[in-house]
């Protein structure tokens, strides 16, 4: 029997470096795949924008990744998934999309206190997707949700463990701790970058739920079921584009242990994104 392979890249995007927390897990799980990552740093933070605007950016990015011949697009951004995933699926029937949604289900399955916390962007909490996740998975559990405006900017500025970032996080997390959460969902792909700080604040009794490993497994399952995996033992790679300053992006990649990654400049012309 001939096994068919597909060596086209997998497209991944976020508003900035956050989605690299997902890309790096995909890279570990599927080391032979080529990954094309776009961070829309020029428009970051998405979480403070209107969902319509984030949807428009998401369409521009998906069009650009499809022109780069990507076989699938992973929306490694909760805000963009909330704003655009269903519209993208409708616009491109048959094309493979994997999106993020706050991982309320595993948090609900874990809780003993009956109270779980979710931190995400303001826009994510305003979305129908978030409402539907809570409705589907959190029937008998109290879900406390806390937007963290300004946190994504701190992370993009490399302020990962500074007194200000800690003070901001304590201000958001302490009220949830006072209400005895025992699970905390990271509902924005930037937040795992400050996970050590979050762990220090919430302590060992609160389980932190990051959906990235589940997303990587979903990507793998989809590729396998559609016979789209790359030729085994080929050299996988990660190539990044940013609509911001590549040098800054590189500094952040290094902090994530992905320092050898190539970073190219990308430009928006109106609603059209060019990935050279
Ligand atoms: N990383 C994104 C998310 O998962 C968005 C961050 C932002 O730009 O506000 O929601």
């Amino acid at each position: 029997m001939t096994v068919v392979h597909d060596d086209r890249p997998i497209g991944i995007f976020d508003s900035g470096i956050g989605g690299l927390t997902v890309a790096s897990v995909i890279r570990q799980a599927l080391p032979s795949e080529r990954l094309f990552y776009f961070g829309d740093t020029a428009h970051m933070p998405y979480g403070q924008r209107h969902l319509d605007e984030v949807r428009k950016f998401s369409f521009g990015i998906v069009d650009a990744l499809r022109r780069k011949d990507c076989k699938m697009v992973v929306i490694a951004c909760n805000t963009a998934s909330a704003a655009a995933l269903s519209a993208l699926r409708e616009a491109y029937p048959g094309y493979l999309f994997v999106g993020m949604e706050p991982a309320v289900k595993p948090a609900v399955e874990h809780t003993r206190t009956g109270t779980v916390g979710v931190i995400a962007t303001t826009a994510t909490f305003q979305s129908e997707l978030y409402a539907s996740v809570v409705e589907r998975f959190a029937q008998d559990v109290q879900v406390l949700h806390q937007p963290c405006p300004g946190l994504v900017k701190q992370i993009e500025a490399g302020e990962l463990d500074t007194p200000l970032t800690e003070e901001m996080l304590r201000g958001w997390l302490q009220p949830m701790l006072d209400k005895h959460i025992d699970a905390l969902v990271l509902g924005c792909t930037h937040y795992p970058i400050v996970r050590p700080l979050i762990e220090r604040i919430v302590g060992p009794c609160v389980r932190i739920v990051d959906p990235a490993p589940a997303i990587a497994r979903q990507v793998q399952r989809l590729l396998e079921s559609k016979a789209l995996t790359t030729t085994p033992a080929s050299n996988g790679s990660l190539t990044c584009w940013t609509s911001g300053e590549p040098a800054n992006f590189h500094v952040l990649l290094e902090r994530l242990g992905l320092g050898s990654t190539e970073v190219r400049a990308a430009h928006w012309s109106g609603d059209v994104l060019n990935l050279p």
Side-chain angles (χ1 to χ4, degrees):
M1 194 179 87
T2 333
V3 182
V4 182
H5 293 290
D6 188 326
D7 294 333
R8 291 177 298 160
I10 298 171
I12 306 175
F13 77 91
D14 177 49
S15 63
I17 56 161
L20 288 166
T21 61
V22 179
S24 63
V25 180
I26 295 176
R27 180 106 181 85
Q28 278 160 23
L30 301 166
S32 296
E33 297 288 341
R34 283 192 299 143
L35 309 182
F36 281 5
Y37 182 92
F38 174 66
D40 195 8
T41 321
H43 293 137
M44 178 281 296
Y46 277 6
Q48 306 299 111
R49 292 178 181 270
H50 200 278
L51 288 169
D52 289 341
E53 198 180 14
V54 177
R55 190 174 311 122
K56 189 183 74 180
F57 297 147
S58 303
F59 269 83
I61 297 165
V62 166
D63 288 343
L65 290 170
R66 281 166 55 92
R67 285 198 301 278
K68 286 292 218 191
D69 206 23
C70 289
K71 57 187 171 189
M72 158 195 277
V73 170
V74 180
I75 309 176
C77 173
N78 289 78
T79 310
S81 300
L85 181 58
S86 61
L88 284 164
R89 287 200 167 125
E90 216 167 282
Y92 301 107
Y95 191 75
L96 292 184
F97 291 101
V98 173
M100 312 288 304
E101 61 177 34
V104 170
K105 188 169 178 241
V108 165
E109 283 165 358
H110 167 81
T111 187
R112 296 289 168 266
T113 62
T115 306
V116 305
V118 182
I119 50 174
T121 67
T122 306
T124 293
F125 285 128
Q126 284 165 352
S127 69
E128 280 172 28
L129 182 70
Y130 180 69
S132 87
V133 166
V134 173
E135 197 180 296
R136 270 182 289 148
F137 301 122
Q139 295 293 342
D140 304 314
V141 163
Q142 189 183 16
V143 181
L144 305 177
H145 56 261
Q146 176 62 61
C148 304
L151 183 56
V152 164
K153 271 198 152 171
Q154 287 293 105
I155 293 168
E156 289 277 341
E159 306 264 326
L160 307 188
D161 199 2
T162 59
L164 177 58
T165 308
E166 176 162 358
E167 191 188 313
M168 290 164 86
L169 273 166
R170 277 193 193 279
W172 292 313
L173 297 174
Q174 193 56 50
M176 291 201 275
L177 293 172
D178 293 343
K179 291 189 175 134
H180 308 294
I181 58 161
D182 60 356
L184 178 69
V185 178
L186 305 185
C188 167
T189 54
H190 277 77
Y191 300 168
I193 299 173
V194 285
R195 184 173 177 148
L197 182 51
I198 293 173
E199 278 174 348
R200 213 161 68 217
I201 295 169
V202 300
C205 298
V206 175
R207 174 181 290 191
I208 295 181
V209 186
D210 171 8
I215 295 295
R217 285 195 295 276
Q218 196 184 340
V219 169
Q220 182 164 16
R221 264 197 310 272
L222 266 179
L223 291 178
E224 284 170 0
S225 69
K226 307 278 180 194
L228 290 174
T229 51
T230 199
T231 309
S234 37
N235 278 333
S237 57
L238 170 65
T239 308
C240 292
W241 285 262
T242 169
S243 54
E245 180 51 57
N248 294 348
F249 205 86
H250 215 264
V251 171
L252 294 160
L253 272 165
E254 254 165 42
R255 282 175 174 251
L256 295 177
L258 296 164
S260 58
T261 308
E262 183 187 355
V263 186
R264 303 178 190 169
H267 305 281
W268 286 96
S269 321
D271 294 344
V272 178
L273 174 67
N274 302 302
L275 297 175

mmCIF file of all heavy atoms in Angstrom, residues 14-19 40 43-49 76-81 100 120-122 124 152-153 156 187-191, ligand 1:
data_model
loop_
_atom_site.group_PDB
_atom_site.id
_atom_site.type_symbol
_atom_site.label_atom_id
_atom_site.label_comp_id
_atom_site.label_asym_id
_atom_site.label_seq_id
_atom_site.Cartn_x
_atom_site.Cartn_y
_atom_site.Cartn_z
ATOM 1 N N ASP A 14 -0.841 34.349 15.704
ATOM 2 C CA ASP A 14 -1.270 34.986 16.955
ATOM 3 C C ASP A 14 -1.065 36.489 16.776
ATOM 4 O O ASP A 14 -0.498 36.933 15.771
ATOM 5 C CB ASP A 14 -0.419 34.452 18.124
ATOM 6 C CG ASP A 14 -0.766 35.130 19.448
ATOM 7 O OD1 ASP A 14 -1.964 35.214 19.783
ATOM 8 O OD2 ASP A 14 0.151 35.602 20.147
ATOM 9 N N SER A 15 -1.471 37.252 17.782
ATOM 10 C CA SER A 15 -1.245 38.691 17.730
ATOM 11 C C SER A 15 0.220 39.047 17.966
ATOM 12 O O SER A 15 0.612 40.197 17.763
ATOM 13 C CB SER A 15 -2.091 39.380 18.803
ATOM 14 O OG SER A 15 -1.669 38.935 20.078
ATOM 15 N N GLY A 16 1.023 38.093 18.426
ATOM 16 C CA GLY A 16 2.433 38.402 18.728
ATOM 17 C C GLY A 16 3.170 37.116 19.032
ATOM 18 O O GLY A 16 3.024 36.134 18.305
ATOM 19 N N ILE A 17 3.912 37.116 20.159
ATOM 20 C CA ILE A 17 4.697 35.918 20.486
ATOM 21 C C ILE A 17 3.896 34.846 21.211
ATOM 22 O O ILE A 17 4.382 33.729 21.381
ATOM 23 C CB ILE A 17 5.936 36.249 21.362
ATOM 24 C CG1 ILE A 17 5.507 36.978 22.640
ATOM 25 C CG2 ILE A 17 6.975 37.021 20.591
ATOM 26 C CD1 ILE A 17 6.570 36.927 23.726
ATOM 27 N N GLY A 18 2.689 35.180 21.669
ATOM 28 C CA GLY A 18 1.931 34.247 22.513
ATOM 29 C C GLY A 18 1.762 32.876 21.879
ATOM 30 O O GLY A 18 1.968 31.845 22.523
ATOM 31 N N GLY A 19 1.409 32.853 20.603
ATOM 32 C CA GLY A 19 1.140 31.584 19.923
ATOM 33 C C GLY A 19 2.363 30.698 19.812
ATOM 34 O O GLY A 19 2.252 29.511 19.494
ATOM 35 N N ASP A 40 1.199 39.040 14.653
ATOM 36 C CA ASP A 40 0.720 40.340 14.150
ATOM 37 C C ASP A 40 1.021 41.460 15.153
ATOM 38 O O ASP A 40 0.131 42.176 15.613
ATOM 39 C CB ASP A 40 -0.792 40.241 13.883
ATOM 40 C CG ASP A 40 -1.289 41.397 13.032
ATOM 41 O OD1 ASP A 40 -0.458 42.174 12.521
ATOM 42 O OD2 ASP A 40 -2.520 41.521 12.894
ATOM 43 N N HIS A 43 -0.481 44.961 15.344
ATOM 44 C CA HIS A 43 -1.863 45.152 15.801
ATOM 45 C C HIS A 43 -2.094 44.656 17.227
ATOM 46 O O HIS A 43 -3.230 44.667 17.707
ATOM 47 C CB HIS A 43 -2.826 44.424 14.855
ATOM 48 C CG HIS A 43 -2.877 45.007 13.483
ATOM 49 N ND1 HIS A 43 -2.883 44.234 12.347
ATOM 50 C CD2 HIS A 43 -2.914 46.295 13.065
ATOM 51 C CE1 HIS A 43 -2.926 45.015 11.280
ATOM 52 N NE2 HIS A 43 -2.935 46.265 11.690
ATOM 53 N N MET A 44 -1.031 44.171 17.870
ATOM 54 C CA MET A 44 -1.135 43.663 19.235
ATOM 55 C C MET A 44 -1.410 44.836 20.189
ATOM 56 O O MET A 44 -0.855 45.898 19.957
ATOM 57 C CB MET A 44 0.204 42.986 19.511
ATOM 58 C CG MET A 44 0.459 42.397 20.847
ATOM 59 S SD MET A 44 0.916 43.574 22.106
ATOM 60 C CE MET A 44 2.451 44.268 21.577
ATOM 61 N N PRO A 45 -2.200 44.706 21.254
ATOM 62 C CA PRO A 45 -2.922 43.513 21.663
ATOM 63 C C PRO A 45 -4.303 43.398 20.997
ATOM 64 O O PRO A 45 -5.019 44.394 20.877
ATOM 65 C CB PRO A 45 -3.083 43.695 23.173
ATOM 66 C CG PRO A 45 -3.101 45.172 23.391
ATOM 67 C CD PRO A 45 -2.275 45.770 22.280
ATOM 68 N N TYR A 46 -4.626 42.193 20.572
ATOM 69 C CA TYR A 46 -5.950 41.943 19.984
ATOM 70 C C TYR A 46 -7.050 42.038 21.053
ATOM 71 O O TYR A 46 -8.185 42.384 20.755
ATOM 72 C CB TYR A 46 -6.004 40.524 19.393
ATOM 73 C CG TYR A 46 -5.442 40.337 18.005
ATOM 74 C CD1 TYR A 46 -4.793 41.368 17.327
ATOM 75 C CD2 TYR A 46 -5.575 39.105 17.362
ATOM 76 C CE1 TYR A 46 -4.279 41.149 16.056
ATOM 77 C CE2 TYR A 46 -5.073 38.891 16.082
ATOM 78 C CZ TYR A 46 -4.425 39.915 15.437
ATOM 79 O OH TYR A 46 -3.926 39.699 14.175
ATOM 80 N N GLY A 47 -6.675 41.665 22.278
ATOM 81 C CA GLY A 47 -7.672 41.502 23.330
ATOM 82 C C GLY A 47 -8.383 42.777 23.742
ATOM 83 O O GLY A 47 -9.407 42.734 24.415
ATOM 84 N N GLN A 48 -7.831 43.938 23.341
ATOM 85 C CA GLN A 48 -8.470 45.209 23.680
ATOM 86 C C GLN A 48 -9.240 45.748 22.478
ATOM 87 O O GLN A 48 -9.764 46.850 22.527
ATOM 88 C CB GLN A 48 -7.419 46.254 24.087
ATOM 89 C CG GLN A 48 -6.479 45.814 25.188
ATOM 90 C CD GLN A 48 -7.208 45.490 26.469
ATOM 91 O OE1 GLN A 48 -7.279 44.338 26.871
ATOM 92 N NE2 GLN A 48 -7.802 46.481 27.101
ATOM 93 N N ARG A 49 -9.276 44.993 21.389
ATOM 94 C CA ARG A 49 -9.935 45.461 20.167
ATOM 95 C C ARG A 49 -11.330 44.875 20.042
ATOM 96 O O ARG A 49 -11.681 43.926 20.725
ATOM 97 C CB ARG A 49 -9.109 45.055 18.933
ATOM 98 C CG ARG A 49 -7.793 45.774 18.821
ATOM 99 C CD ARG A 49 -7.037 45.280 17.609
ATOM 100 N NE ARG A 49 -5.754 45.930 17.490
ATOM 101 C CZ ARG A 49 -5.524 47.058 16.827
ATOM 102 N NH1 ARG A 49 -6.508 47.670 16.200
ATOM 103 N NH2 ARG A 49 -4.321 47.585 16.770
ATOM 104 N N ALA A 76 -3.470 30.157 16.919
ATOM 105 C CA ALA A 76 -2.870 29.978 18.248
ATOM 106 C C ALA A 76 -3.136 31.209 19.102
ATOM 107 O O ALA A 76 -2.228 31.750 19.752
ATOM 108 C CB ALA A 76 -1.382 29.692 18.104
ATOM 109 N N CYS A 77 -4.368 31.647 19.073
ATOM 110 C CA CYS A 77 -4.775 32.874 19.756
ATOM 111 C C CYS A 77 -6.240 32.705 20.148
ATOM 112 O O CYS A 77 -7.083 32.492 19.278
ATOM 113 C CB CYS A 77 -4.605 34.047 18.793
ATOM 114 S SG CYS A 77 -5.258 35.612 19.406
ATOM 115 N N ASN A 78 -6.501 32.777 21.446
ATOM 116 C CA ASN A 78 -7.890 32.610 21.891
ATOM 117 C C ASN A 78 -8.779 33.730 21.360
ATOM 118 O O ASN A 78 -9.935 33.501 20.995
ATOM 119 C CB ASN A 78 -7.954 32.613 23.422
ATOM 120 C CG ASN A 78 -7.367 31.352 24.008
ATOM 121 O OD1 ASN A 78 -6.148 31.201 24.086
ATOM 122 N ND2 ASN A 78 -8.213 30.434 24.409
ATOM 123 N N THR A 79 -8.233 34.941 21.337
ATOM 124 C CA THR A 79 -9.043 36.090 20.928
ATOM 125 C C THR A 79 -9.426 35.968 19.448
ATOM 126 O O THR A 79 -10.590 36.154 19.077
ATOM 127 C CB THR A 79 -8.268 37.406 21.171
ATOM 128 O OG1 THR A 79 -7.764 37.399 22.512
ATOM 129 C CG2 THR A 79 -9.158 38.612 20.962
ATOM 130 N N ALA A 80 -8.454 35.633 18.596
ATOM 131 C CA ALA A 80 -8.746 35.487 17.165
ATOM 132 C C ALA A 80 -9.660 34.294 16.913
ATOM 133 O O ALA A 80 -10.524 34.336 16.029
ATOM 134 C CB ALA A 80 -7.445 35.349 16.377
ATOM 135 N N SER A 81 -9.495 33.223 17.692
ATOM 136 C CA SER A 81 -10.392 32.062 17.535
ATOM 137 C C SER A 81 -11.815 32.469 17.890
ATOM 138 O O SER A 81 -12.767 32.111 17.184
ATOM 139 C CB SER A 81 -9.952 30.904 18.437
ATOM 140 O OG SER A 81 -8.651 30.501 18.129
ATOM 141 N N MET A 100 -8.308 27.804 19.281
ATOM 142 C CA MET A 100 -8.184 27.685 20.740
ATOM 143 C C MET A 100 -9.522 28.015 21.375
ATOM 144 O O MET A 100 -10.243 28.875 20.870
ATOM 145 C CB MET A 100 -7.196 28.722 21.299
ATOM 146 C CG MET A 100 -5.875 28.853 20.615
ATOM 147 S SD MET A 100 -4.763 27.479 20.909
ATOM 148 C CE MET A 100 -4.645 27.421 22.685
ATOM 149 N N ALA A 120 -8.212 35.533 30.737
ATOM 150 C CA ALA A 120 -8.176 35.661 29.268
ATOM 151 C C ALA A 120 -8.281 37.140 28.946
ATOM 152 O O ALA A 120 -8.309 37.997 29.852
ATOM 153 C CB ALA A 120 -9.336 34.878 28.643
ATOM 154 N N THR A 121 -8.361 37.449 27.650
ATOM 155 C CA THR A 121 -8.477 38.863 27.284
ATOM 156 C C THR A 121 -9.942 39.314 27.390
ATOM 157 O O THR A 121 -10.863 38.502 27.384
ATOM 158 C CB THR A 121 -7.990 39.109 25.844
ATOM 159 O OG1 THR A 121 -8.899 38.457 24.932
ATOM 160 C CG2 THR A 121 -6.583 38.584 25.623
ATOM 161 N N THR A 122 -10.108 40.614 27.444
ATOM 162 C CA THR A 122 -11.457 41.194 27.517
ATOM 163 C C THR A 122 -12.294 40.728 26.329
ATOM 164 O O THR A 122 -13.452 40.339 26.485
ATOM 165 C CB THR A 122 -11.328 42.738 27.503
ATOM 166 O OG1 THR A 122 -10.437 43.102 28.561
ATOM 167 C CG2 THR A 122 -12.669 43.421 27.694
ATOM 168 N N THR A 124 -12.007 38.009 24.467
ATOM 169 C CA THR A 124 -12.378 36.588 24.564
ATOM 170 C C THR A 124 -13.606 36.422 25.455
ATOM 171 O O THR A 124 -14.538 35.684 25.111
ATOM 172 C CB THR A 124 -11.191 35.757 25.116
ATOM 173 O OG1 THR A 124 -10.148 35.781 24.150
ATOM 174 C CG2 THR A 124 -11.577 34.307 25.381
ATOM 175 N N VAL A 152 -0.702 41.281 28.248
ATOM 176 C CA VAL A 152 -0.065 40.888 26.979
ATOM 177 C C VAL A 152 1.041 41.887 26.615
ATOM 178 O O VAL A 152 2.135 41.502 26.191
ATOM 179 C CB VAL A 152 -1.130 40.774 25.862
ATOM 180 C CG1 VAL A 152 -0.495 40.768 24.481
ATOM 181 C CG2 VAL A 152 -1.952 39.502 26.056
ATOM 182 N N LYS A 153 0.772 43.168 26.843
ATOM 183 C CA LYS A 153 1.790 44.189 26.526
ATOM 184 C C LYS A 153 3.023 44.022 27.403
ATOM 185 O O LYS A 153 4.147 44.182 26.940
ATOM 186 C CB LYS A 153 1.197 45.589 26.714
ATOM 187 C CG LYS A 153 0.531 46.114 25.467
ATOM 188 C CD LYS A 153 0.365 47.605 25.552
ATOM 189 C CE LYS A 153 0.367 48.215 24.168
ATOM 190 N NZ LYS A 153 0.004 49.620 24.177
ATOM 191 N N GLU A 156 4.930 41.090 25.957
ATOM 192 C CA GLU A 156 5.600 41.439 24.687
ATOM 193 C C GLU A 156 6.790 42.366 24.943
ATOM 194 O O GLU A 156 7.746 42.372 24.179
ATOM 195 C CB GLU A 156 4.603 42.114 23.725
ATOM 196 C CG GLU A 156 3.550 41.173 23.159
ATOM 197 C CD GLU A 156 4.015 40.369 21.940
ATOM 198 O OE1 GLU A 156 5.002 40.763 21.297
ATOM 199 O OE2 GLU A 156 3.381 39.341 21.644
ATOM 200 N N GLY A 187 -6.401 31.262 29.499
ATOM 201 C CA GLY A 187 -7.252 31.423 28.322
ATOM 202 C C GLY A 187 -6.699 32.395 27.302
ATOM 203 O O GLY A 187 -7.451 32.959 26.509
ATOM 204 N N CYS A 188 -5.398 32.603 27.336
ATOM 205 C CA CYS A 188 -4.712 33.452 26.350
ATOM 206 C C CYS A 188 -3.347 32.823 26.154
ATOM 207 O O CYS A 188 -2.681 32.453 27.135
ATOM 208 C CB CYS A 188 -4.574 34.877 26.884
ATOM 209 S SG CYS A 188 -3.430 35.911 25.936
ATOM 210 N N THR A 189 -2.937 32.687 24.903
ATOM 211 C CA THR A 189 -1.696 31.940 24.632
ATOM 212 C C THR A 189 -0.435 32.690 25.067
ATOM 213 O O THR A 189 0.650 32.110 25.084
ATOM 214 C CB THR A 189 -1.604 31.565 23.141
ATOM 215 O OG1 THR A 189 -1.744 32.764 22.359
ATOM 216 C CG2 THR A 189 -2.688 30.575 22.755
ATOM 217 N N HIS A 190 -0.572 33.972 25.411
ATOM 218 C CA HIS A 190 0.586 34.677 25.969
ATOM 219 C C HIS A 190 0.854 34.269 27.425
ATOM 220 O O HIS A 190 1.993 34.351 27.886
ATOM 221 C CB HIS A 190 0.354 36.198 25.957
ATOM 222 C CG HIS A 190 0.658 36.865 24.657
ATOM 223 N ND1 HIS A 190 -0.184 36.791 23.579
ATOM 224 C CD2 HIS A 190 1.714 37.636 24.266
ATOM 225 C CE1 HIS A 190 0.350 37.497 22.573
ATOM 226 N NE2 HIS A 190 1.492 38.005 22.973
ATOM 227 N N TYR A 191 -0.175 33.880 28.151
ATOM 228 C CA TYR A 191 -0.027 33.734 29.601
ATOM 229 C C TYR A 191 0.913 32.601 30.032
ATOM 230 O O TYR A 191 1.574 32.734 31.073
ATOM 231 C CB TYR A 191 -1.398 33.591 30.279
ATOM 232 C CG TYR A 191 -2.342 34.766 30.069
ATOM 233 C CD1 TYR A 191 -3.689 34.677 30.413
ATOM 234 C CD2 TYR A 191 -1.902 35.975 29.531
ATOM 235 C CE1 TYR A 191 -4.567 35.737 30.222
ATOM 236 C CE2 TYR A 191 -2.773 37.038 29.323
ATOM 237 C CZ TYR A 191 -4.107 36.913 29.673
ATOM 238 O OH TYR A 191 -4.961 37.959 29.473
HETATM 239 N N1 LIG B 1 -2.503 35.611 22.586
HETATM 240 C C1 LIG B 1 -3.817 36.055 22.353
HETATM 241 C C2 LIG B 1 -4.888 35.207 22.953
HETATM 242 O O1 LIG B 1 -4.686 34.023 23.088
HETATM 243 C C3 LIG B 1 -4.159 37.500 22.287
HETATM 244 C C4 LIG B 1 -3.386 38.475 23.023
HETATM 245 C C5 LIG B 1 -3.688 39.900 22.651
HETATM 246 O O2 LIG B 1 -3.160 40.338 21.636
HETATM 247 O O3 LIG B 1 -4.438 40.551 23.380
HETATM 248 O O4 LIG B 1 -5.942 35.661 23.260
#
